[in-house]
PDB file of all heavy atoms in Angstrom:
ATOM      1  N   ARG T 219     -12.823  12.046 -22.869  1.00  0.00           N
ATOM      2  CA  ARG T 219     -13.756  11.883 -23.987  1.00  0.00           C
ATOM      3  C   ARG T 219     -13.575  10.512 -24.642  1.00  0.00           C
ATOM      4  O   ARG T 219     -14.556   9.853 -25.007  1.00  0.00           O
ATOM      5  CB  ARG T 219     -13.557  12.998 -25.005  1.00  0.00           C
ATOM      6  CG  ARG T 219     -14.734  13.138 -25.959  1.00  0.00           C
ATOM      7  CD  ARG T 219     -15.083  14.564 -26.279  1.00  0.00           C
ATOM      8  NE  ARG T 219     -14.040  15.255 -27.007  1.00  0.00           N
ATOM      9  CZ  ARG T 219     -13.643  16.497 -26.725  1.00  0.00           C
ATOM     10  NH1 ARG T 219     -14.193  17.162 -25.730  1.00  0.00           N
ATOM     11  NH2 ARG T 219     -12.699  17.077 -27.423  1.00  0.00           N
ATOM     12  N   LEU T 220     -12.326  10.075 -24.780  1.00  0.00           N
ATOM     13  CA  LEU T 220     -12.079   8.750 -25.355  1.00  0.00           C
ATOM     14  C   LEU T 220     -12.693   7.667 -24.470  1.00  0.00           C
ATOM     15  O   LEU T 220     -13.365   6.753 -24.960  1.00  0.00           O
ATOM     16  CB  LEU T 220     -10.578   8.511 -25.510  1.00  0.00           C
ATOM     17  CG  LEU T 220     -10.174   7.118 -26.018  1.00  0.00           C
ATOM     18  CD1 LEU T 220     -10.764   6.846 -27.389  1.00  0.00           C
ATOM     19  CD2 LEU T 220      -8.655   6.969 -26.052  1.00  0.00           C
ATOM     20  N   LEU T 221     -12.496   7.767 -23.160  1.00  0.00           N
ATOM     21  CA  LEU T 221     -13.054   6.765 -22.244  1.00  0.00           C
ATOM     22  C   LEU T 221     -14.579   6.778 -22.275  1.00  0.00           C
ATOM     23  O   LEU T 221     -15.217   5.725 -22.176  1.00  0.00           O
ATOM     24  CB  LEU T 221     -12.534   7.002 -20.824  1.00  0.00           C
ATOM     25  CG  LEU T 221     -11.038   6.737 -20.623  1.00  0.00           C
ATOM     26  CD1 LEU T 221     -10.587   7.198 -19.244  1.00  0.00           C
ATOM     27  CD2 LEU T 221     -10.709   5.264 -20.819  1.00  0.00           C
ATOM     28  N   ALA T 222     -15.164   7.963 -22.430  1.00  0.00           N
ATOM     29  CA  ALA T 222     -16.633   8.069 -22.519  1.00  0.00           C
ATOM     30  C   ALA T 222     -17.144   7.392 -23.789  1.00  0.00           C
ATOM     31  O   ALA T 222     -18.153   6.674 -23.762  1.00  0.00           O
ATOM     32  CB  ALA T 222     -17.059   9.534 -22.487  1.00  0.00           C
ATOM     33  N   MET T 223     -16.442   7.618 -24.906  1.00  0.00           N
ATOM     34  CA  MET T 223     -16.852   6.987 -26.170  1.00  0.00           C
ATOM     35  C   MET T 223     -16.754   5.467 -26.077  1.00  0.00           C
ATOM     36  O   MET T 223     -17.656   4.745 -26.534  1.00  0.00           O
ATOM     37  CB  MET T 223     -15.955   7.485 -27.316  1.00  0.00           C
ATOM     38  CG  MET T 223     -16.225   8.915 -27.734  1.00  0.00           C
ATOM     39  SD  MET T 223     -15.055   9.492 -28.992  1.00  0.00           S
ATOM     40  CE  MET T 223     -15.755   8.771 -30.469  1.00  0.00           C
ATOM     41  N   LEU T 224     -15.677   4.989 -25.486  1.00  0.00           N
ATOM     42  CA  LEU T 224     -15.491   3.542 -25.371  1.00  0.00           C
ATOM     43  C   LEU T 224     -16.503   2.927 -24.409  1.00  0.00           C
ATOM     44  O   LEU T 224     -16.949   1.792 -24.602  1.00  0.00           O
ATOM     45  CB  LEU T 224     -14.061   3.227 -24.931  1.00  0.00           C
ATOM     46  CG  LEU T 224     -12.967   3.634 -25.935  1.00  0.00           C
ATOM     47  CD1 LEU T 224     -11.583   3.336 -25.381  1.00  0.00           C
ATOM     48  CD2 LEU T 224     -13.166   2.938 -27.274  1.00  0.00           C
ATOM     49  N   ARG T 225     -16.882   3.690 -23.375  1.00  0.00           N
ATOM     50  CA  ARG T 225     -17.937   3.185 -22.486  1.00  0.00           C
ATOM     51  C   ARG T 225     -19.268   3.120 -23.228  1.00  0.00           C
ATOM     52  O   ARG T 225     -20.012   2.144 -23.095  1.00  0.00           O
ATOM     53  CB  ARG T 225     -18.081   4.060 -21.248  1.00  0.00           C
ATOM     54  CG  ARG T 225     -19.166   3.516 -20.306  1.00  0.00           C
ATOM     55  CD  ARG T 225     -19.495   4.441 -19.166  1.00  0.00           C
ATOM     56  NE  ARG T 225     -18.430   4.483 -18.180  1.00  0.00           N
ATOM     57  CZ  ARG T 225     -18.483   5.217 -17.066  1.00  0.00           C
ATOM     58  NH1 ARG T 225     -19.536   5.986 -16.835  1.00  0.00           N
ATOM     59  NH2 ARG T 225     -17.497   5.205 -16.203  1.00  0.00           N
ATOM     60  N   ALA T 226     -19.555   4.167 -24.014  1.00  0.00           N
ATOM     61  CA  ALA T 226     -20.798   4.183 -24.794  1.00  0.00           C
ATOM     62  C   ALA T 226     -20.846   2.972 -25.728  1.00  0.00           C
ATOM     63  O   ALA T 226     -21.903   2.352 -25.922  1.00  0.00           O
ATOM     64  CB  ALA T 226     -20.897   5.477 -25.598  1.00  0.00           C
ATOM     65  N   GLU T 227     -19.686   2.606 -26.289  1.00  0.00           N
ATOM     66  CA  GLU T 227     -19.635   1.441 -27.178  1.00  0.00           C
ATOM     67  C   GLU T 227     -19.819   0.150 -26.388  1.00  0.00           C
ATOM     68  O   GLU T 227     -20.571  -0.737 -26.796  1.00  0.00           O
ATOM     69  CB  GLU T 227     -18.305   1.405 -27.922  1.00  0.00           C
ATOM     70  CG  GLU T 227     -18.205   0.228 -28.889  1.00  0.00           C
ATOM     71  CD  GLU T 227     -16.965   0.277 -29.751  1.00  0.00           C
ATOM     72  OE1 GLU T 227     -15.871   0.503 -29.204  1.00  0.00           O
ATOM     73  OE2 GLU T 227     -17.093   0.099 -30.980  1.00  0.00           O
ATOM     74  N   SER T 228     -19.148   0.045 -25.236  1.00  0.00           N
ATOM     75  CA  SER T 228     -19.246  -1.191 -24.443  1.00  0.00           C
ATOM     76  C   SER T 228     -20.664  -1.417 -23.926  1.00  0.00           C
ATOM     77  O   SER T 228     -21.079  -2.553 -23.716  1.00  0.00           O
ATOM     78  CB  SER T 228     -18.254  -1.166 -23.278  1.00  0.00           C
ATOM     79  OG  SER T 228     -18.640  -0.202 -22.312  1.00  0.00           O
ATOM     80  N   GLU T 229     -21.409  -0.322 -23.729  1.00  0.00           N
ATOM     81  CA  GLU T 229     -22.793  -0.450 -23.261  1.00  0.00           C
ATOM     82  C   GLU T 229     -23.778  -0.581 -24.423  1.00  0.00           C
ATOM     83  O   GLU T 229     -24.992  -0.640 -24.220  1.00  0.00           O
ATOM     84  CB  GLU T 229     -23.152   0.745 -22.373  1.00  0.00           C
ATOM     85  CG  GLU T 229     -22.360   0.737 -21.062  1.00  0.00           C
ATOM     86  CD  GLU T 229     -22.784   1.833 -20.087  1.00  0.00           C
ATOM     87  OE1 GLU T 229     -23.853   2.442 -20.314  1.00  0.00           O
ATOM     88  OE2 GLU T 229     -22.042   2.074 -19.122  1.00  0.00           O
ATOM     89  N   GLY T 230     -23.238  -0.603 -25.663  1.00  0.00           N
ATOM     90  CA  GLY T 230     -24.068  -0.908 -26.828  1.00  0.00           C
ATOM     91  C   GLY T 230     -24.802   0.255 -27.454  1.00  0.00           C
ATOM     92  O   GLY T 230     -25.703   0.044 -28.276  1.00  0.00           O
ATOM     93  N   TYR T 231     -24.426   1.496 -27.125  1.00  0.00           N
ATOM     94  CA  TYR T 231     -25.155   2.653 -27.662  1.00  0.00           C
ATOM     95  C   TYR T 231     -24.536   3.214 -28.939  1.00  0.00           C
ATOM     96  O   TYR T 231     -25.233   3.838 -29.733  1.00  0.00           O
ATOM     97  CB  TYR T 231     -25.248   3.763 -26.610  1.00  0.00           C
ATOM     98  CG  TYR T 231     -26.013   3.331 -25.384  1.00  0.00           C
ATOM     99  CD1 TYR T 231     -25.378   3.190 -24.150  1.00  0.00           C
ATOM    100  CD2 TYR T 231     -27.369   3.027 -25.458  1.00  0.00           C
ATOM    101  CE1 TYR T 231     -26.077   2.764 -23.024  1.00  0.00           C
ATOM    102  CE2 TYR T 231     -28.071   2.602 -24.348  1.00  0.00           C
ATOM    103  CZ  TYR T 231     -27.421   2.465 -23.129  1.00  0.00           C
ATOM    104  OH  TYR T 231     -28.116   2.041 -22.026  1.00  0.00           O
ATOM    105  N   VAL T 232     -23.239   3.009 -29.131  1.00  0.00           N
ATOM    106  CA  VAL T 232     -22.593   3.496 -30.357  1.00  0.00           C
ATOM    107  C   VAL T 232     -21.616   2.439 -30.876  1.00  0.00           C
ATOM    108  O   VAL T 232     -21.255   1.499 -30.171  1.00  0.00           O
ATOM    109  CB  VAL T 232     -21.808   4.820 -30.127  1.00  0.00           C
ATOM    110  CG1 VAL T 232     -22.700   5.903 -29.554  1.00  0.00           C
ATOM    111  CG2 VAL T 232     -20.574   4.601 -29.249  1.00  0.00           C
ATOM    112  N   LYS T 233     -21.201   2.628 -32.128  1.00  0.00           N
ATOM    113  CA  LYS T 233     -20.128   1.834 -32.726  1.00  0.00           C
ATOM    114  C   LYS T 233     -18.997   2.791 -33.055  1.00  0.00           C
ATOM    115  O   LYS T 233     -19.227   3.841 -33.660  1.00  0.00           O
ATOM    116  CB  LYS T 233     -20.604   1.149 -34.008  1.00  0.00           C
ATOM    117  CG  LYS T 233     -21.587   0.020 -33.787  1.00  0.00           C
ATOM    118  CD  LYS T 233     -20.868  -1.241 -33.368  1.00  0.00           C
ATOM    119  CE  LYS T 233     -21.841  -2.436 -33.291  1.00  0.00           C
ATOM    120  NZ  LYS T 233     -21.162  -3.607 -32.720  1.00  0.00           N
ATOM    121  N   THR T 234     -17.766   2.456 -32.661  1.00  0.00           N
ATOM    122  CA  THR T 234     -16.635   3.332 -32.967  1.00  0.00           C
ATOM    123  C   THR T 234     -15.807   2.745 -34.104  1.00  0.00           C
ATOM    124  O   THR T 234     -15.856   1.540 -34.373  1.00  0.00           O
ATOM    125  CB  THR T 234     -15.726   3.535 -31.743  1.00  0.00           C
ATOM    126  OG1 THR T 234     -15.143   2.284 -31.380  1.00  0.00           O
ATOM    127  CG2 THR T 234     -16.487   4.125 -30.576  1.00  0.00           C
ATOM    128  N   ASN T 235     -15.035   3.616 -34.742  1.00  0.00           N
ATOM    129  CA  ASN T 235     -14.195   3.197 -35.855  1.00  0.00           C
ATOM    130  C   ASN T 235     -12.928   4.052 -35.872  1.00  0.00           C
ATOM    131  O   ASN T 235     -12.974   5.249 -35.597  1.00  0.00           O
ATOM    132  CB  ASN T 235     -14.962   3.360 -37.175  1.00  0.00           C
ATOM    133  CG  ASN T 235     -14.167   2.832 -38.353  1.00  0.00           C
ATOM    134  OD1 ASN T 235     -13.575   1.766 -38.277  1.00  0.00           O
ATOM    135  ND2 ASN T 235     -14.130   3.592 -39.434  1.00  0.00           N
ATOM    136  N   ILE T 236     -11.789   3.428 -36.166  1.00  0.00           N
ATOM    137  CA  ILE T 236     -10.525   4.152 -36.311  1.00  0.00           C
ATOM    138  C   ILE T 236     -10.174   4.150 -37.794  1.00  0.00           C
ATOM    139  O   ILE T 236     -10.122   3.088 -38.425  1.00  0.00           O
ATOM    140  CB  ILE T 236      -9.382   3.464 -35.528  1.00  0.00           C
ATOM    141  CG1 ILE T 236      -9.759   3.272 -34.056  1.00  0.00           C
ATOM    142  CG2 ILE T 236      -8.086   4.246 -35.661  1.00  0.00           C
ATOM    143  CD1 ILE T 236      -9.958   4.552 -33.296  1.00  0.00           C
ATOM    144  N   ASN T 237      -9.951   5.328 -38.352  1.00  0.00           N
ATOM    145  CA  ASN T 237      -9.658   5.370 -39.783  1.00  0.00           C
ATOM    146  C   ASN T 237      -8.634   6.439 -40.117  1.00  0.00           C
ATOM    147  O   ASN T 237      -8.483   7.426 -39.391  1.00  0.00           O
ATOM    148  CB  ASN T 237     -10.947   5.620 -40.578  1.00  0.00           C
ATOM    149  CG  ASN T 237     -11.650   6.878 -40.131  1.00  0.00           C
ATOM    150  OD1 ASN T 237     -11.232   7.982 -40.477  1.00  0.00           O
ATOM    151  ND2 ASN T 237     -12.706   6.735 -39.328  1.00  0.00           N
ATOM    152  N   ILE T 238      -7.915   6.179 -41.228  1.00  0.00           N
ATOM    153  CA  ILE T 238      -7.006   7.179 -41.795  1.00  0.00           C
ATOM    154  C   ILE T 238      -7.324   7.277 -43.284  1.00  0.00           C
ATOM    155  O   ILE T 238      -8.178   6.544 -43.798  1.00  0.00           O
ATOM    156  CB  ILE T 238      -5.519   6.800 -41.588  1.00  0.00           C
ATOM    157  CG1 ILE T 238      -5.192   5.478 -42.291  1.00  0.00           C
ATOM    158  CG2 ILE T 238      -5.156   6.732 -40.128  1.00  0.00           C
ATOM    159  CD1 ILE T 238      -3.708   5.162 -42.333  1.00  0.00           C
ATOM    160  N   ASP T 239      -6.643   8.150 -43.988  1.00  0.00           N
ATOM    161  CA  ASP T 239      -6.823   8.275 -45.438  1.00  0.00           C
ATOM    162  C   ASP T 239      -6.284   7.002 -46.092  1.00  0.00           C
ATOM    163  O   ASP T 239      -5.073   6.744 -46.109  1.00  0.00           O
ATOM    164  CB  ASP T 239      -6.057   9.507 -45.948  1.00  0.00           C
ATOM    165  CG  ASP T 239      -6.328   9.784 -47.420  1.00  0.00           C
ATOM    166  OD1 ASP T 239      -6.365   8.813 -48.207  1.00  0.00           O
ATOM    167  OD2 ASP T 239      -6.481  10.966 -47.775  1.00  0.00           O
ATOM    168  N   LYS T 240      -7.203   6.199 -46.639  1.00  0.00           N
ATOM    169  CA  LYS T 240      -6.843   4.900 -47.225  1.00  0.00           C
ATOM    170  C   LYS T 240      -5.848   5.052 -48.375  1.00  0.00           C
ATOM    171  O   LYS T 240      -4.888   4.287 -48.498  1.00  0.00           O
ATOM    172  CB  LYS T 240      -8.123   4.209 -47.693  1.00  0.00           C
ATOM    173  CG  LYS T 240      -7.906   2.837 -48.294  1.00  0.00           C
ATOM    174  CD  LYS T 240      -9.225   2.266 -48.773  1.00  0.00           C
ATOM    175  CE  LYS T 240      -9.011   0.986 -49.563  1.00  0.00           C
ATOM    176  NZ  LYS T 240     -10.284   0.463 -50.107  1.00  0.00           N
TER     177      LYS T 240
END
Side-chain angles (χ1 to χ4, degrees):
R219 197 141 65 224
L220 176 60
L221 292 172
M223 287 175 80
L224 296 178
R225 181 188 288 181
E227 181 173 47
S228 69
E229 293 186 13
Y231 298 113
V232 304
K233 289 280 186 187
T234 64
N235 185 44
I236 305 296
N237 56 77
I238 62 170
D239 186 318
K240 181 182 172 183

